[in-house]
Amino acid sequence: MALKYTLEEAVTAWRRTSQIVFYNAGRLNIQNDVIDVAVTASQRNLAKEESITFQTHYIAQKSNFNLLSQTPSSDVSTEKLKAFGKTSNVTAIIREIPDSKSAEKKNRQLLEIWKDNSLHSSVDLQLFDKHGKVYTDGTFGCLEFSPDEKHLVYLAEKKEPKKQSFLQFVMAATVEGSKVGVEYDFVEDWGEQLVGKSQPVICIFKVDWEPFQSEDCVRILEASKEWSPGQLIWCSNNQLAGVAWFHQPRRLGIIYCSNRPSQIFKVDISSGKYDWFGLKTNTAASPRHHSESDTVIYLSSLAYGPHHKEQKISSISSDGTVRQVETGTSESYQGMYNQSFPDRCWSPDGKLVFFTTPCKSSVQSYALNLNSSSVCKLSLPEGCTGSVVLDVFQDMILVCGVSLIRPDQLFIGRFNSEKINEEPIEWKCLTGKKSLPPTLSLASDVFSVKLAGDMEYEASLIYPKNPSKKTPLVVAPHGGPHSVSTDQFKAEVYFFSQLGYAVLLVNYRGSTGFGEKSLYSLLGKVGEQDVQEVHNATVQMIEKHSEFLDKELVFLFGGSHGGFLVTHLSGQYPDFYRAVSTRNPVIDMATMFPITDIADWTIVESNLGDGSQLEKLLEPKTFSKMWELSPIRYVKQVKAPTLLLVGKIDRRVPPTQSIEYYRALQLHGIKTRMIMYEDCHSLSQVPVDTDALINTVMWFQQSL
């Protein structure tokens, strides 16, 4: 049987999918008896061929949260970082705009200061020639006012001497301070999606600086050759805290990796004196400061090992004492697997810290009592299976309520710090009951497989509410492998469902949110344990829903380690799966090891060490073990037509992985196609994402 949709219908389904809004951040403000909820959301703009960010203000009554009004949304895509004053109506924005004078299509970075609803000052930071490009990414980037609002802190690439070639040296006088003959030298950076970011420096900007003053408006704290600073916060008008990631033995890719050696530091900006907290053998991330108690909390774990594992919550008291908060785990709280706290996460008295983390196949929000080390799961808004904390202010909390079968919604609630364990939060919806069109509504089913040793894995099926009798199934395992598919609404799933597919998300052992014993059980068994569990979940779900799922129409879709799994599945079960579409798949760990930005990943997942001593593993048995665990081992058994979606500038899983597989499939006469994009590992550019998904559904249809 052929799947009955046309190319036009597939494009229409994607356009409909692109209308879905995803909430990124929110901030609560109070004026008299009125609450202003400023919410930032993202959406694909197909006409502009880019993802846009926009802001909407919801105005509600403080006493009962009744919604009074809602402002028209405004596009804030050029705003890359934003800071708010703590006492006055002042805002700082680092904005990126195209440089019309640049032949290389570079962006200008402007720092704007807004006071009393008007632009106070605006400067092009590059004109001061103090530093390189400002860091606006979510790993290092930061922008924050000092408590007295006299200074801003941000991070930028260290200014390097100008580089001249030997030809320039001969033909013209050298520029003062320049280096000759080094313009092609390799410079180590922080890897995937952080290309060109090698040595950040701390920049202190004087807010009330005026042009033509004799003093500089930007002061640079001297960079260290041994570590890179990031995630800076103010602890006082003269003291900053932040995270230092260490450069030795080498800069390994940081994005998606919470296991890099790092420490919390505090620095006096007048003297330049640093104090250090935690151990160099640990990690550190997401420091948050409570001003009244002068307490800093942050996340920490042992360095190296799996890229994501349980993060312990630690605190630094005003006297410098570091304490790890021993929360324990339970059925409703499997440990902290998120990489950050909300920007504002404290209750007013500093006793509670609010945060979000996966718990099995759901994303849940919690309140941690620092005094008792007890963790309380927050009540869920009506109709939601999970929630994400966006902001906490005074006794109010803003969350994004999530569900597999309905777009995200915003809720506001009020909590009682003293009775957080006794009184459930009553939520008020700000965005109205968002739902899909009746003809496109979804249903879901989640089931768990219990295993020996109190371990389990789960699978979530999402399907059209009124499925056809022969509904095709797309099996889509997540990447990582130490990540998780939660109950947040997913654009790709909605796209597939509009065309009549059901989608199966499998959280095999090794996924985060199921406890450390489960996570570590996968090491050395990738390509075996995870593959078997994804296949078993597929078979069981088809049997459970045999009234509409067709076992003859099962497709595979996955990227990165998910690509590793789907290519394994097509090789190990060649007669079960009809076709494969995979994004930047890991195909051969042995050939990936020398060139990926996360060489330690191949070592850890092969169970050859914790990844800290890469130089001792360059021997034949290392490569032999990696090859044995890789999908390339089963390439001769593959029968399913295979579509490869590849990023040319992927630093995580180099495109050579897919090229190797493409050629091997061709040699064995397997129908295959490879599409190469000018994109990185995530393939998230809107034109790329569009092309990849529409080609995927047409490939599935053609492969019948």
Side-chain angles (χ1 to χ4, degrees):
M1 133 178 209
L3 298 179
K4 296 181 180 179
Y5 54 82
T6 64
L7 174 59
E8 290 75 14
E9 288 171 330
V11 172
T12 298
W14 181 243
R15 289 188 177 279
R16 191 182 291 116
T17 300
S18 298
Q19 295 173 346
I20 299 295
V21 171
F22 296 91
Y23 298 107
N24 307 327
R27 188 175 179 87
L28 299 164
N29 291 294
I30 297 178
Q31 294 181 356
N32 301 320
D33 189 41
V34 174
I35 306 170
D36 175 12
V37 186
V39 178
T40 304
S42 61
Q43 187 178 11
R44 292 173 178 85
N45 186 322
L46 299 185
K48 293 181 70 174
E49 296 191 345
E50 62 185 42
S51 182
I52 60 168
T53 305
F54 60 91
Q55 189 172 77
T56 308
H57 290 262
Y58 297 89
I59 312 301
Q61 217 162 356
K62 181 182 176 182
S63 56
N64 55 19
F65 294 151
N66 283 341
L67 189 63
L68 301 176
S69 65
Q70 175 182 333
T71 66
S73 299
S74 57
D75 192 327
V76 293
S77 299
T78 60
E79 297 180 5
K80 301 304 177 183
L81 292 173
K82 198 168 188 176
F84 301 89
K86 294 178 174 59
T87 57
S88 66
N89 185 20
V90 60
T91 306
I93 297 170
I94 289 184
R95 191 185 303 277
E96 285 190 5
I97 60 172
D99 186 351
S100 58
K101 298 179 181 179
S102 171
E104 300 174 356
K105 297 182 179 179
K106 292 183 178 180
N107 285 338
R108 297 168 64 198
Q109 292 184 314
L110 307 181
L111 173 60
E112 300 174 353
I113 309 294
W114 293 78
K115 285 186 177 180
D116 301 321
N117 301 316
S118 64
L119 183 63
H120 174 71
S121 61
S122 178
V123 294
D124 186 334
L125 293 170
Q126 301 306 316
L127 296 180
F128 296 107
D129 200 26
K130 291 281 191 175
H131 51 69
K133 193 170 182 180
V134 176
Y135 284 39
T136 60
D137 61 272
T139 303
F140 287 96
C142 59
L143 181 67
E144 186 166 332
F145 279 103
S146 59
D148 61 9
E149 300 174 1
K150 292 183 178 180
H151 294 93
L152 279 164
V153 64
Y154 61 89
L155 286 162
E157 183 68 17
K158 181 182 179 182
K159 180 185 176 183
E160 291 293 336
K162 296 186 183 302
K163 297 176 181 180
Q164 290 184 283
S165 73
F166 292 120
L167 293 174
Q168 292 171 322
F169 177 73
V170 172
M171 295 172 63
T174 58
V175 177
E176 184 179 354
S178 67
K179 291 184 178 181
V180 179
V182 298
E183 71 269 35
Y184 302 114
D185 280 15
F186 173 73
V187 177
E188 193 174 73
D189 59 27
W190 286 108
E192 170 69 21
Q193 298 182 41
L194 296 170
V195 174
K197 295 179 178 178
S198 177
Q199 180 60 75
V201 291
I202 300 172
C203 308
I204 311 295
F205 180 85
K206 185 178 179 183
V207 172
D208 288 328
W209 175 85
E210 295 288 346
F212 312 113
Q213 285 184 348
S214 58
E215 62 178 305
D216 291 329
C217 67
V218 180
R219 184 158 60 92
I220 308 297
L221 296 190
E222 189 65 30
S224 168
K225 294 181 179 180
E226 297 179 356
W227 52 271
S228 291
Q231 299 181 2
L232 300 169
I233 58 172
W234 292 92
C235 295
S236 68
N237 291 324
N238 207 47
Q239 187 184 62
L240 289 165
V243 177
W245 285 275
F246 299 108
H247 299 165
Q248 296 301 320
R250 57 173 273 199
R251 291 174 180 81
L252 291 164
I254 283 187
I255 194 166
Y256 312 133
C257 305
S258 59
N259 65 336
R260 302 298 177 221
S262 44
Q263 275 185 288
I264 296 293
F265 67 84
K266 290 185 178 181
V267 57
D268 185 294
I269 64 172
S270 297
S271 66
K273 179 180 179 296
Y274 284 84
D275 294 312
W276 296 89
F277 304 88
L279 302 173
K280 277 193 172 183
T281 53
N282 286 356
T283 70
S286 193
R288 299 289 185 264
H289 181 251
H290 186 258
S291 56
E292 291 186 18
S293 62
D294 192 21
T295 300
V296 173
I297 57 166
Y298 66 98
L299 298 173
S300 181
S301 66
L302 284 175
Y304 297 109
H307 278 178
H308 288 308
K309 47 186 179 286
E310 184 184 359
Q311 303 283 295
K312 299 294 185 181
I313 300 172
S314 297
S315 66
I316 305 171
S317 61
S318 57
D319 63 2
T321 302
V322 179
R323 178 177 73 95
Q324 184 171 288
V325 183
E326 298 296 341
T327 58
T329 59
S330 65
E331 184 68 17
S332 62
Y333 175 66
Q334 296 287 318
M336 175 58 161
Y337 288 95
N338 204 342
Q339 294 187 65
S340 65
F341 294 108
D343 287 343
R344 297 196 296 187
C345 59
W346 297 92
S347 63
D349 55 14
K351 294 179 180 179
L352 299 180
V353 176
F354 293 87
F355 64 94
T356 300
T357 182
C359 180
K360 299 184 181 179
S361 296
S362 183
V363 60
Q364 297 291 331
S365 296
Y366 302 87
L368 165 67
N369 188 310
L370 285 176
N371 294 333
S372 64
S373 300
S374 62
V375 174
C376 170
K377 181 180 173 182
L378 302 187
S379 57
L380 287 169
E382 181 183 358
C384 299
T385 57
S387 69
V388 177
V389 177
L390 299 180
D391 192 31
V392 179
F393 183 60
Q394 296 182 8
D395 63 346
M396 291 173 291
I397 182 170
L398 176 70
V399 303
C400 177
V402 304
S403 167
L404 282 169
I405 61 174
R406 190 189 63 194
D408 298 348
Q409 295 175 287
L410 293 173
F411 295 86
I412 189 172
R414 185 176 282 108
F415 62 89
N416 184 332
S417 293
E418 300 298 327
K419 298 181 179 180
I420 194 69
N421 290 299
E422 305 165 21
E423 298 180 356
I425 297 175
E426 293 186 8
W427 300 103
K428 181 78 172 184
C429 184
L430 296 175
T431 48
K433 292 187 177 181
K434 291 190 175 183
S435 59
L436 301 175
T439 56
L440 300 173
S441 57
L442 302 176
S444 65
D445 181 28
V446 181
F447 83 94
S448 177
V449 178
K450 304 290 183 181
L451 301 169
D454 295 325
M455 289 188 285
E456 62 184 309
Y457 63 93
E458 290 185 341
S460 301
L461 180 72
I462 308 99
Y463 56 95
K465 197 166 187 178
N466 297 302
S468 65
K469 289 184 178 180
K470 287 187 174 293
T471 298
L473 176 65
V474 176
V475 180
H478 64 74
H482 309 299
S483 62
V484 64
S485 291
T486 66
D487 49 357
Q488 292 165 289
F489 192 80
K490 295 169 179 60
E492 291 87 350
V493 172
Y494 181 45
F495 172 62
F496 283 124
S497 71
Q498 291 177 68
L499 299 175
Y501 293 90
V503 180
L504 184 66
L505 310 173
V506 185
N507 287 321
Y508 45 86
R509 277 182 295 166
S511 303
T512 55
F514 288 79
E516 293 295 87
K517 185 178 179 180
S518 174
L519 187 145
Y520 276 87
S521 73
L522 184 58
L523 304 188
K525 299 177 185 176
V526 291
E528 300 171 4
Q529 178 177 292
D530 46 3
V531 171
Q532 291 169 9
E533 291 176 356
V534 172
H535 183 70
N536 291 343
T538 301
V539 171
Q540 290 185 56
M541 193 62 88
I542 291 173
E543 291 176 352
K544 184 177 181 182
H545 294 282
S546 59
E547 72 277 9
F548 65 87
L549 288 180
D550 189 341
K551 65 180 180 181
E552 301 297 324
L553 298 175
V554 186
F555 301 88
L556 293 166
F557 179 69
S560 195
H561 188 83
F564 174 90
L565 291 175
V566 299
T567 49
H568 255 300
L569 286 160
S570 68
Q572 293 189 39
Y573 303 95
D575 296 316
F576 191 86
Y577 298 97
R578 296 299 295 265
V580 181
S581 174
T582 178
R583 299 182 178 205
N584 293 318
V586 175
I587 295 298
D588 185 345
M589 294 167 73
T591 57
M592 178 177 161
F593 170 61
I595 52 176
T596 175
D597 71 329
I598 53 166
D600 63 310
W601 179 88
T602 62
I603 297 299
V604 172
E605 300 309 325
S606 302
N607 205 27
L608 294 168
D610 67 0
S612 62
Q613 297 180 315
L614 301 179
E615 74 285 355
K616 295 183 179 180
L617 294 160
L618 296 171
E619 51 189 43
K621 65 179 182 180
T622 296
F623 294 98
S624 177
K625 177 66 179 296
M626 291 180 184
W627 184 88
E628 289 174 1
L629 297 174
S630 298
I632 195 68
R633 175 184 174 185
Y634 299 97
V635 69
K636 294 180 182 179
Q637 299 172 200
V638 173
K639 295 180 181 179
T642 302
L643 175 65
L644 297 160
L645 308 166
V646 187
K648 288 183 181 179
I649 54 175
D650 187 348
R651 295 278 294 274
R652 185 60 40 100
V653 181
T656 49
Q657 290 282 293
S658 291
I659 294 171
E660 179 181 353
Y661 196 57
Y662 174 77
R663 289 173 175 164
L665 289 172
Q666 282 195 317
L667 284 173
H668 293 94
I670 303 303
K671 180 182 176 182
T672 184
R673 180 187 177 193
M674 180 164 60
I675 307 175
M676 301 284 282
Y677 300 106
E678 290 290 343
D679 205 345
C680 58
H681 187 61
S682 62
L683 298 186
S684 58
Q685 295 177 28
V686 168
V688 172
D689 201 21
T690 300
D691 186 87
L693 282 165
I694 293 176
N695 264 308
T696 291
V697 294
M698 300 313 295
W699 181 261
F700 288 168
Q701 186 181 62
Q702 294 163 15
S703 298
L704 293 173

